[in-house]
Every structure is written in structure tokens, then in C-alpha cells.
């Protein structure tokens, strides 16, 4: 019996050494099975108690139980230690660096044309203009006849019109509007005078090169009231361009011109300079590196147009203008190829587009920050 206990003590010491040096939970479990498993040496020793005399058992039982408890405690303690180490290692390897930039996600941007339309609306709203709209599929009467271009008028040919086939002849003929001026007629017929509107939108002409696309954008302006004269037109355009380009040194050139629906008519040019391949407004024209860009037409509303729109021309006078939105966008934001505006290339949009958060406001500035 004494020999058995000596044997057990050395088995216990060997087991405790093996337990404390177990490097992994698997190695530790092997030690548990070897000692405490069904066929483990501690379990076998406990089974020998059945064959002992009561006296022997009274002495051996507490000794074997003590060995069992020691080994079990050592295993439990080592298990806690190994599990804690494993958790440490896992936490260390699975850290997330919250200072890293967020991954790229595809995001859209606001097209420069949309951005500029918002800017226009903001500036003209402050000057008391409402935004009006009209159909892009227009009839001949609104697009031409009511604007003092009857069937035989040569200016019609200059508009390179897209006509719809198989529509009623003459004034009922349908077409893609060639300018935003028909909105003048629709607004006057609907609201009468006095009136103060802008009408931004798409227009269509069948020509195409580096500076002309079959679809482009215009903004129409119309003011009709008593005592309106050319000075009001000039002040309005100058005030608008200064606010739009956010600089005071804008040079506008108003050139005598001809439109059937205005009399007199003036063409509106703005001075710009070339800086590398960028165009920047604020040039003075004529001098080296400076030039003029034609931005649109304008003039005093022809009295025949007022009459056709149901406004009495003896009581009311008006001015109107039509500006190319794409052109003023190119000048403000430094693009030099109009065709890229309508290619729908996401790389161009990512470069020249604007954040939806860039809402133009007069207080924060109508220029985009991007
Ligand atoms: N509708 C003219 C064009 O497209 C521009 C214009 C508008 C001229 C209003 C005078 C007055 O060329």
C-alpha cells in the first residue's frame, strides 16, 4: 500500500510538471485524459478502493482523492491560463484600425449644368424672378410664329430645326424647340403683365461640332412692365454675371444684332483670358491672351411679340435675353470641350461634377466649393 502511495506521488509530480508545461489546450486535454479519463491512472487508482479492506480504504481513499483534486485543480488553472492567452492572441490579430480612411464607395455627382442651373435660379430669385418652364416638344406657332418669325422668315432656316414627321402642317407642326424663347409666349399668355421670369431648359438644333451639340441648354429671361428700357437689361445682365462669376471685374460687351423677336437686339459677350488650357473670365478682350465669348442674345421685346402674347404694347415694354448655360458653365468651371458635357463619362463627372451638399446660396456663395 505504502508503495502504491509512493508510486502515486511520483505519478502526480510527473503529471503536474506535464500540465504546467502544456503549450496548447490540446496538449492539456491529453494530460486530463491520461489522469482523469475513464482509463486514466487516477481513475484506475480509485477503482482499487473497492477491493480494499475497510481500514486500508479509510487510509487510501482520502489520499487518492487529494491527488485527484490536485491534478484537477492544476488542469483547471492551466486551462484558464491557456484560454486567456488564446483570447489575447485573437484580440491582437483581429484589431480594426479605426483611423484608416473609409473604403471607396461609388458615388454620383451633380452635373455642372445642373449645378449652374441651381446657381442661376438662386441669383435670379434674389432679383425677383420666378422660374417658368415650357415643353421641349413645341409647336411651330410658339417656337416661331408668335416670336415674329412667320413661315417665310429667313431666321427659321438658321435654326436647323428637328421637325416631327406627320404632324399638322404650318403652325400646328411639332418640333423640338430650338430655343427657350417660346416660354416667353407661354408665360405671357398665362400670366399677362407685369411679369419677371427665367426659363432654364434643354433646346435642340441639328448641328454638331466642337462648340455645338444637337442638344444644349439655355436660360431665357423676360421682364415686362411699365417703363422698361435697355438700361434695365444692361443692369440686370451685369448684376447677374458679377454674382455668378463672383467677381467685380466682369467686362460685358453688348453688340448690336438682330433677332426677329427683339427690337433693338444686342448680343452679349463676356471678356475672358486663357490661362494654360483654362478659360478664365475677367479678361478685357482685344489685348493679347484675352478674348470675348458670346454668351447669348437679348433685346427689347418686339411689340409684335407682346401683341401676339396678349400684352398691350402701348402700356407695357419688356426686355428678354437667352444665355447658353453650357457656355457660362465652361467659363466658370474651366472646361474647354462642350461635347464632354454630354458623353456621360463617369470619370469626367467625378472630376467636374459637384457634391450634392454644394447647395448654392447667396449667403454662403453661389460658387461651388469643390
Ligand atoms: N432665342 C435666341 C437664340 O436662341 C436668344 C434670344 C433670347 C435673343 C431672347 C433675344 C432675346 O439665339
Amino acid at each position: 500500500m505504502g508503495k502504491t502511495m509512493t508510486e502515486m506521488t511520483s505519478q502526480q509530480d510527473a503529471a503536474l510538471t506535464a500540465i504546467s508545461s502544456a503549450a496548447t489546450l490540446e496538449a492539456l486535454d491529453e494530460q486530463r485524459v491520461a489522469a482523469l479519463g475513464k482509463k486514466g491512472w487516477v481513475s484506475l487508482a480509485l477503482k482499487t478502493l473497492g477491493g480494499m479492506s475497510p481500514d486500508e480504504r479509510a487510509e487510501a481513499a482520502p489520499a487518492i482523492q487529494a491527488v485527484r483534486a490536485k491534478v484537477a485543480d492544476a488542469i483547471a488553472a492551466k486551462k484558464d491560463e491557456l484560454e486567456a492567452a488564446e483570447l489575447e492572441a485573437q484580440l491582437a490579430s483581429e484589431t480594426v484600425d479605426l483611423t484608416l480612411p473609409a473604403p471607396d464607395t461609388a458615388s454620383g455627382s451633380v452635373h455642372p449644368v445642373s449645378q449652374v442651373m441651381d446657381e442661376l435660379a438662386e441669383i435670379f430669385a434674389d432679383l425677383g424672378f420666378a422660374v417658368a418652364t415650357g415643353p421641349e416638344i413645341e409647336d411651330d406657332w410658339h417656337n416661331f410664329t408668335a416670336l415674329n418669325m412667320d413661315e417665310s422668315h429667313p431666321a427659321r432656316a438658321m435654326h436647323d430645326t428637328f421637325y416631327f414627321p406627320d404632324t399638322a402642317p404650318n403652325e400646328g407642326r411639332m418640333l423640338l424647340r430650338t430655343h427657350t424663347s417660346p416660354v416667353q409666349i407661354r408665360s405671357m399668355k398665362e400670366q399677362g403683365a407685369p411679369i419677371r421670369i427665367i426659363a432654364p431648359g434643354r433646346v435642340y438644333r441639328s448641328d454638331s461640332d466642337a462648340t455645338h451639340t444637337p442638344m444644349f441648354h439655355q436660360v431665357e429671361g423676360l421682364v415686362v412692365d411699365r417703363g422698361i428700357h435697355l438700361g434695365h437689361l444692361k443692369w440686370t445682365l451685369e448684376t447677374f454675371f458679377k454674382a455668378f462669376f463672383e467677381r467685380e471685374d466682369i467686362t460685358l460687351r453688348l453688340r448690336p444684332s438682330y433677332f426677329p423677336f427683339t427690337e433693338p437686339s444686342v448680343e452679349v459677350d463676356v471678356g475672358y483670358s486663357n490661362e494654360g488650357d483654362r478659360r478664365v473670365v475677367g479678361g478685357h478682350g482685344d489685348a493679347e491672351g484675352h478674348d470675348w465669348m458670346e454668351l447669348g442674345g437679348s433685346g427689347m421685346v418686339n411689340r409684335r411679340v407682346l401683341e401676339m402674347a396678349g400684352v398691350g404694347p402701348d402700356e407695357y415694354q419688356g426686355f428678354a435675353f437667352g444665355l447658353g448655360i453650357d457656355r457660362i458653365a465652361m467659363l466658370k468651371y474651366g472646361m474647354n470641350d462642350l461635347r464632354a458635357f454630354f458623353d456621360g463619362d463617369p470619370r469626367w463627372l467625378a472630376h467636374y461634377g459637384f457634391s450634392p451638399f454644394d447647395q448654392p446660396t447667396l449667403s454662403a456663395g453661389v460658387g461651388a466649393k469643390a
Side-chain angles (χ1 to χ4, degrees):
M1 175 71 226
K3 186 176 170 229
T4 309
M5 281 315 296
T6 314
E7 231 173 64
M8 275 200 71
T9 308
S10 67
Q11 267 176 317
Q12 172 195 290
D13 292 345
L16 291 180
T17 307
I19 287 165
S20 84
S21 62
T24 63
L25 284 166
E26 292 72 46
L28 181 64
D29 203 51
E30 278 170 24
Q31 292 304 316
R32 184 190 61 80
V33 172
L36 309 177
K38 261 193 192 146
K39 288 175 185 161
W41 57 271
V42 177
S43 308
L44 293 178
L46 284 168
K47 276 184 189 152
T48 61
L49 292 175
M52 289 181 190
S53 68
D55 284 352
E56 280 173 336
R57 191 185 305 136
E59 193 191 328
I64 297 172
Q65 290 295 0
V67 168
R68 200 194 67 88
K70 250 190 176 170
V71 171
D73 286 351
I75 288 172
K78 187 67 184 178
K79 190 167 182 246
D80 285 350
E81 188 188 307
L82 286 173
E83 279 175 349
E86 196 167 81
L87 182 62
E88 265 319 300
Q90 193 182 358
L91 287 176
S93 72
E94 289 180 3
T95 50
V96 176
D97 185 350
L98 295 178
T99 67
L100 286 175
D104 271 353
T105 49
S107 61
S109 63
V110 175
H111 195 284
V113 169
S114 306
Q115 174 73 22
V116 165
M117 283 188 179
D118 288 349
E119 295 176 12
L120 288 168
E122 180 69 14
I123 295 167
F124 278 111
D126 191 55
L127 296 174
F129 286 68
V131 174
T133 54
E136 289 172 29
I137 297 174
E138 191 46 285
D139 59 55
D140 194 290
W141 189 80
H142 286 92
N143 194 81
F144 290 125
T145 311
L147 289 160
N148 199 32
M149 287 186 264
D150 64 26
E151 291 293 307
S152 60
H153 202 290
R156 280 188 178 223
M158 287 159 53
H159 275 223
D160 297 314
T161 313
F162 288 113
Y163 285 101
F164 283 83
D166 307 325
T167 51
N170 304 327
E171 295 182 352
R173 206 169 172 195
M174 302 305 286
L175 46 84
L176 291 176
R177 68 177 180 190
T178 58
H179 50 178
T180 43
S181 299
V183 186
Q184 287 188 34
I185 306 298
R186 290 184 177 275
S187 303
M188 282 191 278
K189 281 184 94 69
E190 263 166 40
Q191 302 170 37
I195 194 169
R196 217 185 295 183
I197 53 124
I198 57 163
R202 292 191 178 111
V203 301
Y204 302 83
R205 286 183 207 174
S206 99
D207 61 1
S208 178
D209 59 37
T211 53
H212 296 89
T213 50
M215 186 279 293
F216 58 103
H217 300 84
Q218 285 188 334
V219 58
E220 195 79 7
L222 173 70
V223 171
V224 178
D225 209 330
R226 294 184 179 87
I228 295 294
H229 54 72
L230 209 58
H232 294 125
L233 167 63
K234 185 164 186 270
W235 181 88
T236 304
L237 290 173
E238 262 172 19
T239 303
F240 162 67
F241 281 119
K242 282 179 181 169
F244 178 76
F245 288 115
E246 296 184 291
R247 48 195 297 171
E248 283 297 308
D249 62 340
I250 299 292
T251 17
L252 275 193
R253 187 170 73 174
L254 301 181
R255 267 183 303 119
S257 185
Y258 175 76
F259 299 102
F261 34 93
T262 48
E263 183 59 38
S265 301
V266 279
E267 238 148 329
V268 186
D269 302 338
V270 69
Y272 70 89
S273 53
N274 282 311
E275 286 180 10
D277 58 357
R278 268 173 65 95
R279 287 169 173 173
V280 179
V281 286
H284 300 288
D286 303 334
E288 216 179 317
H290 295 103
D291 219 334
W292 297 99
M293 189 187 268
E294 185 189 322
L295 295 184
S298 64
M300 299 304 295
V301 181
N302 189 309
R303 55 181 292 129
R304 285 179 54 82
V305 172
L306 293 175
E307 264 165 10
M308 274 184 280
V311 169
D314 293 327
E315 186 178 1
Y316 288 104
Q317 299 74 43
F319 69 76
F321 56 84
L323 304 174
I325 292 182
D326 316 291
R327 291 184 164 209
I328 65 177
M330 287 168 82
L331 264 188
K332 180 165 179 179
Y333 293 115
M335 298 77 123
N336 52 22
D337 190 348
L338 179 62
R339 288 168 297 191
F341 273 58
F342 310 119
D343 282 346
D345 184 336
R347 292 164 299 184
W348 187 88
L349 281 168
H351 184 74
Y352 286 110
F354 296 91
S355 161
F357 299 116
D358 249 323
Q359 292 291 327
T361 63
L362 287 175
S363 53
V366 290
K369 321 294 174 290

